[in-house]
């Protein structure tokens, strides 16, 4: 007796899209067949709908414990589920304390268990001050270590100088865990920011000019060299430019163990949009030119980008107000819209295959980070999936957003596709605007 059958959905698998039934037992996919005849306690019709593997966002900031007024685990994970997501990796900073040692890990884990609507993994921090704490974080089950090569904007999470990054990568390599880097040159971005501010030039355009593409390339190059030298698995978060992807993809082709992440906002907006959107679209690295975006899209289509993470990093609305663009909080709140951006700008506008979307948003994240039983619609895998109606469109409204502050640069944008339902290990966590709490959420760790 099966627990659940999802009938006649169009399953998005690596081999292509095919219509089939999904049979689910004990939270896992027990059977995939054109027509399952075994009895089941419950049946759900997915007729006319596409079934995607539950999306895994490797890059969010939910800011809890300590800063739940910025986002929060309950609201952030609800938004994730509403966007078709069944797992997220929370970054070690913007919560208080930052996740830099075993006690802070334990605090965050308890908060996650209490409030999350989906499964999750936790990044540990890598700063010059906690190198000796990396082994205890590995024992606790962090998914990897995150380092900032530039200023994080937070004094409690200092940037990694080259020496500390080198030592941290050596330790991470020994522990078998990846290091994720925010790759922008601290020396160069600080220099240009100082120059601008001393001249009283503090508009959105000045901010863009203080972080040109080459400051990203310089840091990517350095991170690649250090990873090659230490044998550390490298993950480069939020690569904003086509030039950045080209640089990292070339190193990967040479054999450097690196994975490449970009974000939906670099695919949906260019620097021209910053004038209209203002602080809502401030991020670091910043939005880029149309030419860089075109290059980036081509690389996504060619499969050179491995993963698309949201880098959801909200703040209270008042931190987004003021005249000095440098002083405003940088971070884009988009955790709910990743799939919508890829379906609209990728699948519909550029012919990006649905299989490729599933790879970027689920399969590759699971494989790169060693998540067992995640990221695929296949027998023996967790029954994590989203039912998506590709015949429908929607225009994003504030009341659609499940995150704490209903602000997003995507508001008012028309998107293809509507997420009807999201299921986590055979349990419905989201259905048409409503969030349901699962019986259990799990900490996801690396299976070596
Ligand atoms: Zn981030």
């Amino acid at each position: 007796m099966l627990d659940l059958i999802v009938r006649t959905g169009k399953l998005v698998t690596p081999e292509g899209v095919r219509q089939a039934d999904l049979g689910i037992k004990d939270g896992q996919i027990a059977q995939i067949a054109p027509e399952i005849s075994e009895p089941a306690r419950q049946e759900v019709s997915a007729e006319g709908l596409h079934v995607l593997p539950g999306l895994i966002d490797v890059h969010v900031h939910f800011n809890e414990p300590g800063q739940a007024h910025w986002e929060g685990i309950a609201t952030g994970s609800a938004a994730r589920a509403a966007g078709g997501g069944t797992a997220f990796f929370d970054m070690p900073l913007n919560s208080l304390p930052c996740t830099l040692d075993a006690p802070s890990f334990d605090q965050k884990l308890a908060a996650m268990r209490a409030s999350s609507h989906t499964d999750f993994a936790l990044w540990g921090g890598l700063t010059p001050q906690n190198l000796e704490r990396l082994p205890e974080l590995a024992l606790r089950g962090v998914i990897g270590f995150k380092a900032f090569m530039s200023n994080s904007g937070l004094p409690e999470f200092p940037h990694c100088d080259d020496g500390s990054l080198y030592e941290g990568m050596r330790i991470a390599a020994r522990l078998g865990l990846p290091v994720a880097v925010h790759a922008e040159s601290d020396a160069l971005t600080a220099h240009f920011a100082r120059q601008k501010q001393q001249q009283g030039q503090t508009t959105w355009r000045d901010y863009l000019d203080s972080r040109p593409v080459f400051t990203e390339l310089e840091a990517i190059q350095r991170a690649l060299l250090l990873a090659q030298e230490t044998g550390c698995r490298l993950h480069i978060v939020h690569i904003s430019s086509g030039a950045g992807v080209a640089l990292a993809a070339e190193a990967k082709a040479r054999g450097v163990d690196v994975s490449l992440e970009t974000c939906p906002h670099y695919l949906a907006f260019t620097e021209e949009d910053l004038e209209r959107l203002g602080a809502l679209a401030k991020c670091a690295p910043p939005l880029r030119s149309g030419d860089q975006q075109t290059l980036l899209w081509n690389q996504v289509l060619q499969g050179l980008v491995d993963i698309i993470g949201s880098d959801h990093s909200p703040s209270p609305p008042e931190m987004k107000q003021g005249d000095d663009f440098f002083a405003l909080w940088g971070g884009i709140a988009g955790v709910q819209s990743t799939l919508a951006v890829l379906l609209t700008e990728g699948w519909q506008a550029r012919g990006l295959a649905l299989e490729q979307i599933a790879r970027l948003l689920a399969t590759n994240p699971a494989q790169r980070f060693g998540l067992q039983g995640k990221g695929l619609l296949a027998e023996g895998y967790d029954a994590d999936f989203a039912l998506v109606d590709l015949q429908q469109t929607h225009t994003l409204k504030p009341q659609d957003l499940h995150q704490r502050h209903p602000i997003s640069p995507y508001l008012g944008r028309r998107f293809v596709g509507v997420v009807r339902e999201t299921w986590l290990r055979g349990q419905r966590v989201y259905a048409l605007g409503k969030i349901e709490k699962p019986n259990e959420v799990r900490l996801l760790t690396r299976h070596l």
Side-chain angles (χ1 to χ4, degrees), residues 59-61 91 93-94 146 148 182 237-238 261 263 284 310-313:
H59 191 159
V60 305
H61 302 262
M91 282 293 171
L93 70 165
N94 304 11
K146 164 77 179 292
F148 265 75
H182 175 132
V237 302
H238 54 49
E261 170 195 309
C263 306
S310 69
D311 193 10
H312 179 73
S313 185

Side-chain angles (χ1 to χ4, degrees), residues 252-264:
K252 190 175 172 181
R254 268 192 287 115
V256 179
D257 190 349
V258 59
S259 45
L260 289 65
E261 170 195 309
T262 190
C263 306

